[in-house]
Amino acid sequence: MRMRVLTALAVLVSAYVHLKLWLDGFRHLDKIGPAFMANVIGGVVIAVLLIVWRHWLPPLLAIGFGLSTLGAFIISASWGLFGLHEQWVGWTVWTAAGAEVVAIVAGGVVLMHEWRGRSAASAEPGVTLRRPQMH
C-alpha cells in the first residue's frame, strides 16, 4: 500500500504544479490551458483510484499519466508544442518532472506487484485450470 500512496502523491504533485501554472496564466493559452486542466482533473482521479481500487488499472494509468505529461514537456522544451516553447528552468519544471518520474517508476512497481499477486492467486492449491478439450 505504501507504493500506491507514493504513486498517488507523485501524481498529485504533478497535478498541483499544473494547477498552479494554469492559475498563473496558462489557462489563457488556447490548447495548453485546457490540457493543463485535464491534467489536474485526471491526476486527482488517478490518485483517488490508486488508493481506493486495488486493481492493475490505476497504476497503469499513473504510468501513462507520468509518461504523457513528461513527454509533452520534453516535446515542448525541445521543439515546441502548440506554440509554447518551454525551458528546463524553475521549480515548477523540476518539481513536476521529478514527480512524473516517480509516478512512472512507482506505478511500475505497483503494477508488477499487482500482476505477481494475480499470478500467485491463480496458482493457489485447490485451483485447477483446465485446457478446453477439442472434440
Side-chain angles (χ1 to χ4, degrees), residues 17-29:
V17 169
H18 285 85
L19 175 62
K20 182 191 180 336
L21 292 170
W22 186 83
L23 292 170
D24 286 350
F26 278 66
R27 69 178 170 260
H28 301 296
L29 300 176

Side-chain angles (χ1 to χ4, degrees), residues 16-126:
Y16 167 76
V17 169
H18 285 85
L19 175 62
K20 182 191 180 336
L21 292 170
W22 186 83
L23 292 170
D24 286 350
F26 278 66
R27 69 178 170 260
H28 301 296
L29 300 176
D30 185 35
K31 291 180 179 48
I32 300 295
F36 273 39
M37 185 48 65
N39 181 286
V40 172
I41 294 166
V44 171
V45 169
I46 292 167
V48 169
L49 288 174
L50 278 161
I51 301 303
V52 302
W53 189 25
R54 296 203 43 108
H55 190 268
W56 58 266
L57 187 55
L60 183 63
L61 291 171
I63 294 167
F65 175 90
L67 287 171
S68 60
T69 305
L70 185 58
F73 181 80
I74 291 170
I75 290 168
S76 175
S78 300
W79 302 284
L81 183 64
F82 301 120
L84 181 66
H85 198 98
E86 278 291 337
Q87 297 179 3
W88 288 93
V89 176
W91 75 267
T92 55
V93 168
W94 291 105
T95 301
E100 289 145 13
V101 168
V102 171
I104 295 163
V105 173
V109 170
V110 173
L111 187 59
M112 288 187 337
H113 183 265
E114 286 295 323
W115 282 343
R116 263 193 251 137
R118 284 187 177 281
S119 296
S122 66
E124 288 180 11

